[in-house]
Short mmCIF file of all heavy atoms in Angstrom, two decimals:
data_model
loop_
_atom_site.label_atom_id
_atom_site.label_comp_id
_atom_site.label_asym_id
_atom_site.label_seq_id
_atom_site.Cartn_x
_atom_site.Cartn_y
_atom_site.Cartn_z
N ILE A 1 20.10 -13.09 84.71
CA ILE A 1 21.47 -12.98 85.19
C ILE A 1 22.36 -13.80 84.27
O ILE A 1 21.92 -14.79 83.68
CB ILE A 1 21.62 -13.45 86.66
CG1 ILE A 1 21.11 -14.90 86.82
CG2 ILE A 1 20.89 -12.52 87.61
CD1 ILE A 1 21.32 -15.47 88.21
N GLU A 2 23.62 -13.39 84.14
CA GLU A 2 24.50 -14.09 83.20
C GLU A 2 25.96 -13.88 83.58
O GLU A 2 26.39 -12.75 83.82
CB GLU A 2 24.27 -13.58 81.79
CG GLU A 2 24.99 -14.35 80.71
CD GLU A 2 24.36 -15.71 80.45
OE1 GLU A 2 23.13 -15.84 80.62
OE2 GLU A 2 25.10 -16.64 80.06
N PHE A 3 26.72 -14.99 83.66
CA PHE A 3 28.17 -14.89 83.79
C PHE A 3 28.73 -14.56 82.40
O PHE A 3 28.71 -15.40 81.50
CB PHE A 3 28.78 -16.20 84.29
CG PHE A 3 28.78 -16.33 85.79
CD1 PHE A 3 27.82 -17.11 86.43
CD2 PHE A 3 29.74 -15.69 86.56
CE1 PHE A 3 27.81 -17.24 87.81
CE2 PHE A 3 29.75 -15.82 87.94
CZ PHE A 3 28.78 -16.59 88.57
N VAL A 4 29.24 -13.35 82.21
CA VAL A 4 29.77 -12.96 80.91
C VAL A 4 31.25 -13.29 80.78
O VAL A 4 31.79 -13.36 79.68
CB VAL A 4 29.54 -11.46 80.64
CG1 VAL A 4 28.05 -11.18 80.51
CG2 VAL A 4 30.15 -10.60 81.74
N THR A 5 31.93 -13.44 81.89
CA THR A 5 33.26 -14.03 81.93
C THR A 5 33.25 -15.02 83.09
O THR A 5 32.24 -15.16 83.80
CB THR A 5 34.37 -12.98 82.17
OG1 THR A 5 34.27 -12.48 83.52
CG2 THR A 5 34.26 -11.83 81.19
N ASN A 6 34.36 -15.68 83.30
CA ASN A 6 34.39 -16.68 84.37
C ASN A 6 34.16 -16.08 85.74
O ASN A 6 33.64 -16.75 86.65
CB ASN A 6 35.73 -17.40 84.35
CG ASN A 6 35.70 -18.73 85.07
OD1 ASN A 6 34.79 -19.52 84.87
ND2 ASN A 6 36.68 -18.97 85.91
N ASN A 7 34.49 -14.79 85.92
CA ASN A 7 34.41 -14.16 87.24
C ASN A 7 33.46 -12.98 87.31
O ASN A 7 33.30 -12.38 88.36
CB ASN A 7 35.80 -13.70 87.69
CG ASN A 7 36.80 -14.84 87.75
OD1 ASN A 7 36.48 -15.93 88.20
ND2 ASN A 7 38.01 -14.59 87.27
N THR A 8 32.83 -12.61 86.19
CA THR A 8 31.97 -11.44 86.16
C THR A 8 30.55 -11.83 85.80
O THR A 8 30.32 -12.53 84.82
CB THR A 8 32.47 -10.41 85.13
OG1 THR A 8 33.82 -10.05 85.45
CG2 THR A 8 31.61 -9.16 85.14
N LEU A 9 29.61 -11.36 86.61
CA LEU A 9 28.19 -11.61 86.37
C LEU A 9 27.45 -10.31 86.18
O LEU A 9 27.65 -9.35 86.93
CB LEU A 9 27.57 -12.39 87.54
CG LEU A 9 26.08 -12.71 87.40
CD1 LEU A 9 25.80 -14.19 87.69
CD2 LEU A 9 25.22 -11.84 88.31
N PHE A 10 26.60 -10.25 85.16
CA PHE A 10 25.70 -9.12 84.94
C PHE A 10 24.30 -9.54 85.36
O PHE A 10 23.85 -10.65 85.06
CB PHE A 10 25.66 -8.71 83.46
CG PHE A 10 26.92 -8.07 82.95
CD1 PHE A 10 27.11 -7.89 81.59
CD2 PHE A 10 27.91 -7.64 83.81
CE1 PHE A 10 28.26 -7.29 81.10
CE2 PHE A 10 29.07 -7.04 83.33
CZ PHE A 10 29.24 -6.87 81.98
N ALA A 11 23.61 -8.65 86.06
CA ALA A 11 22.21 -8.88 86.44
C ALA A 11 21.37 -7.75 85.86
O ALA A 11 21.68 -6.57 86.04
CB ALA A 11 22.08 -8.92 87.96
N PHE A 12 20.30 -8.12 85.16
CA PHE A 12 19.44 -7.15 84.49
C PHE A 12 18.11 -7.06 85.22
O PHE A 12 17.28 -7.98 85.15
CB PHE A 12 19.22 -7.56 83.03
CG PHE A 12 20.47 -7.59 82.20
CD1 PHE A 12 21.28 -8.71 82.18
CD2 PHE A 12 20.85 -6.48 81.46
CE1 PHE A 12 22.44 -8.75 81.42
CE2 PHE A 12 22.01 -6.50 80.69
CZ PHE A 12 22.80 -7.64 80.67
N GLY A 13 17.90 -5.96 85.93
CA GLY A 13 16.65 -5.74 86.64
C GLY A 13 15.73 -4.81 85.87
O GLY A 13 16.13 -4.22 84.86
N ASP A 14 14.50 -4.66 86.36
CA ASP A 14 13.55 -3.79 85.67
C ASP A 14 13.85 -2.32 85.91
O ASP A 14 13.40 -1.45 85.15
CB ASP A 14 12.12 -4.12 86.08
CG ASP A 14 11.91 -3.99 87.58
OD1 ASP A 14 12.90 -3.87 88.32
OD2 ASP A 14 10.75 -4.01 88.02
N ASN A 15 14.64 -1.99 86.93
CA ASN A 15 14.98 -0.59 87.20
C ASN A 15 16.45 -0.37 87.51
O ASN A 15 16.85 0.74 87.87
CB ASN A 15 14.12 -0.04 88.33
CG ASN A 15 14.23 -0.87 89.60
OD1 ASN A 15 15.16 -1.65 89.77
ND2 ASN A 15 13.26 -0.71 90.49
N GLN A 16 17.26 -1.40 87.40
CA GLN A 16 18.69 -1.24 87.61
C GLN A 16 19.47 -2.41 87.01
O GLN A 16 18.94 -3.51 86.83
CB GLN A 16 19.02 -1.10 89.10
CG GLN A 16 18.66 -2.30 89.95
CD GLN A 16 19.03 -2.09 91.41
OE1 GLN A 16 20.10 -1.56 91.72
NE2 GLN A 16 18.15 -2.47 92.32
N LEU A 17 20.72 -2.13 86.68
CA LEU A 17 21.67 -3.14 86.22
C LEU A 17 22.73 -3.31 87.29
O LEU A 17 23.15 -2.33 87.91
CB LEU A 17 22.32 -2.72 84.90
CG LEU A 17 21.40 -2.29 83.76
CD1 LEU A 17 22.22 -1.84 82.55
CD2 LEU A 17 20.44 -3.39 83.37
N LEU A 18 23.17 -4.54 87.49
CA LEU A 18 24.14 -4.84 88.54
C LEU A 18 25.33 -5.58 87.95
O LEU A 18 25.19 -6.41 87.05
CB LEU A 18 23.50 -5.71 89.63
CG LEU A 18 22.24 -5.14 90.29
CD1 LEU A 18 21.52 -6.23 91.07
CD2 LEU A 18 22.61 -3.99 91.21
N VAL A 19 26.52 -5.28 88.48
CA VAL A 19 27.74 -5.96 88.08
C VAL A 19 28.37 -6.59 89.30
O VAL A 19 28.61 -5.91 90.31
CB VAL A 19 28.74 -4.98 87.42
CG1 VAL A 19 30.02 -5.72 87.01
CG2 VAL A 19 28.12 -4.29 86.22
N PHE A 20 28.62 -7.90 89.23
CA PHE A 20 29.29 -8.63 90.30
C PHE A 20 30.62 -9.17 89.77
O PHE A 20 30.73 -9.54 88.60
CB PHE A 20 28.44 -9.81 90.78
CG PHE A 20 27.15 -9.42 91.43
CD1 PHE A 20 26.01 -9.18 90.66
CD2 PHE A 20 27.06 -9.27 92.81
CE1 PHE A 20 24.82 -8.81 91.26
CE2 PHE A 20 25.87 -8.91 93.42
CZ PHE A 20 24.75 -8.68 92.63
N ASP A 21 31.61 -9.22 90.65
CA ASP A 21 32.92 -9.69 90.23
C ASP A 21 33.61 -10.39 91.39
O ASP A 21 33.45 -10.00 92.55
CB ASP A 21 33.78 -8.52 89.74
CG ASP A 21 35.03 -8.99 89.04
OD1 ASP A 21 34.92 -9.60 87.97
OD2 ASP A 21 36.13 -8.77 89.59
N GLY A 22 34.37 -11.45 91.06
CA GLY A 22 35.11 -12.17 92.09
C GLY A 22 35.48 -13.56 91.62
O GLY A 22 34.68 -14.23 90.97
N THR A 23 36.69 -13.99 91.93
CA THR A 23 37.15 -15.30 91.47
C THR A 23 36.48 -16.45 92.22
O THR A 23 36.22 -17.50 91.65
CB THR A 23 38.67 -15.42 91.63
OG1 THR A 23 39.02 -15.16 92.99
CG2 THR A 23 39.38 -14.41 90.74
N GLN A 24 36.19 -16.26 93.50
CA GLN A 24 35.58 -17.32 94.31
C GLN A 24 34.25 -16.90 94.92
O GLN A 24 33.29 -17.65 94.90
CB GLN A 24 36.55 -17.76 95.42
CG GLN A 24 37.87 -18.34 94.93
CD GLN A 24 37.70 -19.64 94.18
OE1 GLN A 24 36.71 -20.34 94.32
NE2 GLN A 24 38.71 -20.00 93.39
#
Protein backbone atom coordinates (compact mmCIF):
# COMPACT_ATOMS: atom_id res chain seq x y z
CA ILE A 1 0.00 0.00 0.00
CA GLU A 2 1.25 3.51 -0.70
CA PHE A 3 0.09 7.10 -0.25
CA VAL A 4 0.88 8.53 -3.69
CA THR A 5 -0.43 11.96 -2.73
CA ASN A 6 -1.33 13.38 0.64
CA ASN A 7 -4.94 12.18 0.29
CA THR A 8 -4.76 9.28 -2.18
CA LEU A 9 -3.70 5.74 -1.38
CA PHE A 10 -3.10 2.91 -3.85
CA ALA A 11 -3.36 -0.71 -2.67
CA PHE A 12 -1.87 -3.49 -4.79
CA GLY A 13 -3.48 -6.89 -4.27
CA ASP A 14 -2.78 -10.21 -5.96
CA ASN A 15 -6.10 -10.05 -7.84
CA GLN A 16 -7.22 -6.43 -7.60
CA LEU A 17 -6.02 -2.85 -7.32
CA LEU A 18 -7.73 -0.41 -4.96
CA VAL A 19 -7.87 3.38 -4.85
CA PHE A 20 -8.71 5.24 -1.64
CA ASP A 21 -9.21 8.98 -1.35
CA GLY A 22 -10.06 11.45 1.41
CA THR A 23 -8.55 14.38 3.27
CA GLN A 24 -9.27 13.02 6.75
